[in-house]
Amino acid sequence: MTPSAVFEEYRDAARSLLAGAAAAEGRSAPSAFVRTFGCQQNEADSERLKGALNSLGCVIAEEPDDADVILVNTCAIREHAENRALSVIGQFKHLKAVRPTLVIGICGCMTAEPHRRDQLKHSFPYVDFTMPPASESLLPKLICDAFADKRSFIEDAAPQTEAVRPYRGESFKAWVSVMYGCNNFCSYCIVPYVRGRERSRPAEEVEREVRELVAAGCKDVTLLGQNVNSYRGGCDFAALLDRLCRIEGDFVLRFMTSHPKDATDALIDVIAREPKIARHFHLPLQSGSDRILRQMNRKYDRARYLSLVRSLREKVPEIAITTDVIVGFPGETEEDFLDTLDLLRTVRFDMIYAFIYSPRKGTPAAEMPDQIPREVQNARFDRLLALQNAVSEEINSAMVGKTFRVLSEGPSKTDPAVLAGRTDSNKLVLFEGNAPQGVFTEVKITGAEPYALRGTEE
Ligand code: SAH
Ligand code: SF4
Ligand code: F3S
């Protein structure tokens, strides 16, 4: 049976069970709450889960309290992410105690780990089901099973279904998955185990989705994949970008993530040529030591990384480059760490996302000797951030006095009197002005911090 057929077979039954549960409490429609952890790919998956719930008649709620269905979309990338998800799941126990018809489902990367599935089954008896990433076609059946008091702990992911339309909270920006899974098996990383092998969506399908989004007023489209550079949906990634830039309209096209081993000249050329593509490149480094890069199975070295950066800056001088760094990988010596600091000084990234290495059960790195003590990891992490904060602040300070195009995101989260927005190079700008959400405007930069710019609308 196709995934769409599986979805449709149980859709009406799940719909009426949910409608009945809401009516029993005097509400006109059932509601669903989805809590998301992890990366943008997971955010995009949650939009598909919400889309599926929507087509089962549910209103999407901002709070869990009155929900008829609660889904927690989990992340397994580091232990901290898993602990946070488990603690949130724990908080839903009392809701189920007051309302036994509440359906609680756990989705996403954590549920694809056998030991976590067992833990959820045995230590969280009020959880009705677990479901691997991107398996929303199974949702109607799992909801029907939950109403029949049957618990399910699904091991295998279901193929994606086009029967579900993502439910997007904001209309001015959107995530669009172009591929799922990962084939790279970096030695520290759980993703290939929990998300399976790479699958690319056909270019026509991606193009249709982006066209519809732009026609509906979307101004900022981010193409997602664990390694978009190995996209093979009938063309390569550079050709896909080229094709999407032919879509008429005023919008910014972003993408993430790029693996340095697969970034091509064709990709850099298309960025240089096409003004619709963001002036931002996220190029995860992980370590500046060749020895550690080999241990990580990253398949590039410092020299290759630096030559990519050189070529990017030669062809696209205004590009902002950001990266991911892992600190305290097994066997990392002070010398290896100094190599990373040195590379950061050489490249001068606009921003970095730094992570303390977290052993993941089942990955080769978790079994490596010489795991680094927590105090050493923490001290290196602090040194890394201190260096990068200084660099980011210098780079951002050089923008003061200049004017940039900014896409307004509306009032900022911390101070509603100030607007927030992003430059084409993806820098956060907090500014005084009137531009409503989803409108491009010109902002003069008046101040700089490591993580944000301040400005005034021109
Ligand atoms: N596919 C992307 C990365 C996705 S995970 C890529 O290869 O670029 C996002 C980041 O989490 C990684 O770049 C890495 O820096 C970090 N990460 C992954 N596994 C980790 C682990 N076990 N411990 C700490 N950080 C990790
Ligand atoms: Fe993980 Fe490496 Fe795949 Fe990125 S490329 S998801 S770090 S295995
Ligand atoms: Fe986490 Fe899964 Fe993304 S492990 S980082 S949610 S791919």
Side-chain angles (χ1 to χ4, degrees), residues 243-424:
R243 182 169 174 164
L244 298 178
C245 287
R246 307 276 77 76
I247 298 173
E248 300 236 338
D250 203 10
F251 66 98
V252 186
L253 200 53
R254 305 183 186 280
F255 58 89
M256 65 188 324
T257 301
S258 283
H259 194 304
K261 81 178 165 62
D262 300 315
T264 58
D265 286 338
L267 174 62
I268 300 178
D269 290 340
V270 73
I271 301 172
R273 200 169 61 233
E274 294 291 348
K276 282 193 170 119
I277 303 177
R279 284 13 225 161
H280 171 217
F281 207 99
H282 184 65
L283 190 63
L285 164 70
Q286 313 303 0
S287 169
S289 154
D290 283 344
R291 204 178 64 81
I292 295 292
L293 285 171
R294 260 195 315 278
Q295 297 286 312
M296 288 177 161
N297 192 30
R298 285 293 286 179
K299 303 198 175 78
Y300 56 85
D301 57 12
R302 274 174 83 91
R304 154 84 182 156
Y305 191 93
L306 286 169
S307 97
L308 258 179
V309 168
R310 213 172 304 122
S311 162
L312 256 171
R313 288 199 171 134
E314 248 165 51
K315 293 183 180 165
V316 198
E318 70 280 23
I319 199 136
I321 304 179
T322 57
T323 202
D324 291 349
V325 177
I326 295 179
V327 175
F329 182 80
E332 184 189 71
T333 61
E334 174 67 14
E335 198 182 350
D336 293 319
F337 177 65
L338 289 175
D339 282 348
T340 300
L341 291 186
D342 179 72
L343 201 138
L344 256 55
R345 276 190 210 100
T346 308
V347 173
R348 294 175 61 79
F349 291 102
D350 288 81
M351 190 159 95
I352 69 170
Y353 298 87
F355 305 104
I356 290 179
Y357 168 71
S358 169
R360 305 285 68 213
K361 202 179 165 101
T363 63
E367 305 302 321
M368 286 180 186
D370 199 8
Q371 300 280 325
I372 306 296
R374 190 69 197 198
E375 316 80 75
V376 176
Q377 291 180 319
N378 286 341
R380 287 183 186 159
F381 183 80
D382 291 346
R383 285 159 71 196
L384 190 83
L385 284 196
L387 165 64
Q388 183 55 40
N389 281 348
V391 173
S392 295
E393 198 158 358
E394 273 170 35
I395 294 177
N396 288 350
S397 297
M399 295 171 78
V400 173
K402 297 184 184 147
T403 297
F404 295 90
R405 183 175 84 145
V406 168
L407 178 60
S408 172
E409 297 184 356
S412 77
K413 291 197 185 86
T414 43
D415 178 1
V418 175
L419 298 176
R422 297 263 165 190
T423 62
D424 289 353

Side-chain angles (χ1 to χ4, degrees), residues 34-50 72-77 81 85 106-111 131-136 160 167 175 177 179-180 191 194-195 224-226:
V34 180
R35 173 74 197 267
T36 310
F37 292 90
C39 61
Q40 290 87 346
Q41 189 81 63
N42 241 25
E43 297 280 351
D45 288 351
S46 283
E47 292 180 346
R48 297 181 68 84
L49 289 165
K50 288 178 194 169
V72 182
N73 194 9
T74 60
C75 169
I77 202 82
I106 315 301
C107 329
C109 294
M110 209 169 106
T111 72
M131 181 176 100
S135 304
E136 67 278 344
Q160 217 77 31
Y167 172 96
W175 313 114
S177 297
M179 58 188 298
Y180 306 98
V191 172
V194 294
R195 290 215 167 233
L224 296 176
Q226 291 301 342

Side-chain angles (χ1 to χ4, degrees), residues 179-197:
M179 58 188 298
Y180 306 98
C182 180
N183 291 354
N184 291 308
F185 289 94
C186 301
S187 65
Y188 50 81
C189 184
I190 195 73
V191 172
Y193 303 89
V194 294
R195 290 215 167 233
R197 297 296 70 73

